[in-house]
Amino acid sequence: MADPTPPPWAGPGFDAARHADRLSAALRGLPYVSDDNLALHPVVVPRAAHDGYYAVVQRFVRLLERTCWEDEAGPFDLLERLGVPRERHRLLTPDPRERAWAACMSRTDAVLSEGRLRILECNIGGAIGGPPHVRMMTDCHRAAFRGPDDSPLYDGPDPFAVRHELFARALAEAGDEAGGVGLLGTMRDPDYPGTRFFDLEVEHLRSVGVPAEFLEPEQLVTSDGGVRRPVVLSHFMQLDWDRLGVDLAPVAEAVRRGALLLAPESAFLLQNKTVLAWMSQGRPWMTDDERAFVDRHLPWTRVVADEEVRYRGGTWQLPLLLRSRRDDFVLKPVSDYGGHGVVIGCEATDGEWRKRVDEALQGGGHVVQEFVRQDSVVVSHYRRSASRRREVSVRPVYGFNVFDGKPAGCLVRHAPDDAGGVVNAGLGASINVLMHPAG
């Protein structure tokens, strides 16, 4: 039976314009925020469902990590297994910390389909994006939606608080608790209008007694040859910095002098989508229960190659399967991100799909994943330029953050139900946050 009490944003006393202004102020200066298409309220699920989703994600990340490090592999062994050129991971080192800290931060992107969590990809490393957005939206909604006793009606994990625990453990292991944390980025990146993305976390760390500061790469090593901070949140992708012409040499030098990057370069190997194909095919060490878990939560995924595969009880040559069942599949580059290069079969023409399949077969570097249709939810949006509120049916993608094995907030992205295409904040989707009833 549905709860007869309407949510507070549905009641006549809710001031949509005022709340939109508060959200806009909270998200000011953060990248990929549409100030004119704000989700007025969180996506709310029961606490049991919220915790259940995280239990799935946490187990999935553990299995992914084991898949990468099976047979006691090291980072260069994994690089070779993936067939990735060394040039793409110039910061990779043989330091044991590469493996120990590789999966310390992740954002698992998933959808709900007929109520079941289906995992589309796993972003691993310090550059996953979203924690400041989740922190600010969660705080804003907690302040706005209050019960009769003035306590928050909704709650959710604080990514900054959880990441502080991760930093504290890293500093303790480094034997330099007073050394503090550097948040590494660059203002040469046009996606960042200023340093607020980093400043919010710097302020939080300082408020709990951890020295912290934003650092450009040239500031990592001090004039006397030491490292400015022993632990560094590595918020960049090598591909982006190569495009921007940012020199990686200062970062490599800081690592050589003992700085711990969170996460180290090996994290980018773990998020390679080839690993999802390995998991989907099954690994020899997987138990029946682990295999059933992967089949339940990971859509069928394979590396695109001219080879025989099993699919839905039948045997196919993969090229023939892809060309004959376009609507069932999505093509994805194995090492790109932000939705770049993704082709959704049911939204492409036959000609476009065949061309992209042929290119993937010839050039390699792609996986194919079975298409999953998301469940929809209704979210109230506010267009500030028109002072207009509207109810929109959306099909969300949920980005579950896990830091040091702990739930760390969920960034939700959604486009209108009929919009189609890749749901990505960098490509215009609205952002939101997942919360549960407080208490």
Side-chain angles (χ1 to χ4, degrees):
M1 181 180 296
D3 185 349
T5 304
W9 54 82
F14 179 65
D15 189 332
R18 184 181 181 189
H19 190 52
D21 287 343
R22 288 173 172 170
L23 279 167
S24 179
L27 297 170
R28 174 184 52 81
L30 301 185
Y32 309 127
V33 174
S34 173
D35 193 46
D36 205 31
N37 191 26
L38 293 162
L40 286 172
H41 57 85
V43 176
V44 179
V45 298
R47 179 63 184 263
H50 177 276
D51 293 350
Y53 299 153
Y54 265 108
V56 168
V57 168
Q58 289 164 300
R59 185 181 185 188
F60 187 86
V61 173
R62 290 194 298 269
L63 286 172
L64 183 149
E65 190 175 14
R66 186 177 174 191
T67 298
C68 289
W69 302 129
E70 62 188 20
D71 301 325
E72 297 302 314
F76 289 101
D77 300 315
L78 180 55
L79 187 76
E80 184 175 351
R81 284 174 61 205
L82 290 168
V84 179
R86 176 72 178 86
E87 174 64 18
R88 294 187 187 175
H89 297 283
R90 298 195 298 276
L91 295 175
L92 198 66
T93 76
D95 189 322
R97 296 184 300 179
E98 288 275 0
R99 176 169 166 170
W101 291 93
C104 67
M105 284 178 283
S106 63
R107 191 195 74 223
T108 300
D109 287 351
V111 298
L112 287 171
S113 181
E114 298 180 350
R116 185 200 317 176
L117 201 68
R118 307 299 303 278
I119 293 169
L120 306 182
E121 64 181 35
C122 198
N123 304 277
I124 299 178
I128 56 176
H133 304 72
V134 172
R135 159 88 173 202
M136 300 310 292
M137 285 186 289
T138 299
D139 283 354
C140 197
H141 293 319
R142 289 181 82 253
F145 304 124
R146 316 288 288 188
D149 61 352
D150 200 38
S151 63
L153 291 175
Y154 308 109
D155 207 350
D158 178 356
F160 285 4
V162 181
R163 192 146 63 184
H164 164 236
E165 295 178 12
L166 169 66
F167 291 147
R169 183 168 78 85
L171 288 167
E173 289 196 11
D176 191 2
E177 287 91 337
V181 175
L183 277 71
L184 174 62
T186 182
M187 288 302 99
R188 285 160 278 189
D189 188 336
D191 285 335
Y192 294 87
T195 60
R196 188 166 189 259
F197 179 89
F198 303 97
D199 292 343
L200 289 170
E201 193 156 11
V202 166
E203 291 165 7
H204 169 75
L205 288 169
R206 290 176 178 174
S207 74
V208 293
V210 178
E213 61 184 329
F214 166 73
L215 297 174
E216 292 275 353
E218 296 81 5
Q219 298 174 303
L220 289 170
V221 176
T222 61
S223 57
D224 61 0
V227 294
R228 189 174 181 104
R229 299 293 179 188
V231 171
V232 176
L233 176 65
S234 177
H235 192 84
F236 74 94
M237 306 284 283
Q238 178 184 308
L239 183 60
D240 286 341
W241 279 18
D242 285 347
R243 289 169 179 163
L244 293 169
V246 179
D247 189 2
L248 289 175
V251 185
E253 181 63 16
V255 171
R256 190 182 72 80
R257 294 180 181 275
L260 172 62
L261 296 185
L262 293 181
E265 183 65 22
S266 54
F268 298 113
L269 301 179
L270 270 63
Q271 74 173 11
N272 188 297
K273 297 178 185 67
T274 299
V275 179
L276 300 181
W278 294 344
M279 295 177 70
S280 180
Q281 287 177 294
R283 311 308 295 164
W285 47 263
M286 282 183 176
T287 65
D288 290 344
D289 181 62
E290 288 168 336
R291 183 57 201 260
F293 171 83
V294 171
D295 288 344
R296 178 171 175 78
H297 295 290
L298 175 64
W300 187 91
T301 307
R302 294 294 186 273
V303 173
V304 177
D306 190 359
E307 60 185 21
E308 189 174 87
V309 298
R310 292 283 296 173
Y311 178 69
R312 293 194 176 183
T315 301
W316 295 76
Q317 284 301 124
L318 184 57
L320 177 61
L321 175 64
L322 298 185
R323 291 174 181 133
S324 61
R325 301 188 64 160
R326 168 174 60 85
D327 288 355
D328 290 343
F329 298 109
V330 179
L331 277 175
K332 299 181 177 183
V334 297
S335 57
D336 214 330
Y337 51 92
H340 301 298
V342 174
V343 184
I344 301 172
C346 62
E347 297 179 1
T349 66
D350 280 334
E352 291 168 341
W353 179 252
R354 286 177 174 270
K355 178 176 183 291
R356 296 301 294 270
V357 168
D358 290 345
E359 290 172 349
L361 285 165
Q362 294 167 10
H366 284 74
V367 296
V368 59
Q369 190 172 80
E370 189 170 32
F371 176 74
V372 177
R373 186 68 171 173
Q374 306 106 296
D375 297 340
S376 61
V377 299
V378 175
V379 176
S380 297
H381 283 71
Y382 192 80
R383 192 166 296 281
R384 298 178 77 228
S385 63
S387 300
R388 182 168 66 93
R389 173 180 174 166
R390 60 193 180 116
E391 310 300 309
V392 183
S393 178
V394 298
R395 297 184 183 274
V397 174
Y398 301 88
F400 294 93
N401 293 324
V402 173
F403 298 161
D404 216 17
K406 303 179 183 68
C410 179
L411 181 72
V412 182
R413 292 106 69 203
H414 44 63
D417 195 317
D418 59 355
V422 177
V423 181
N424 181 273
L427 300 176
S430 296
I431 60 169
N432 203 339
V433 65
L434 183 72
M435 299 181 74
H436 58 76

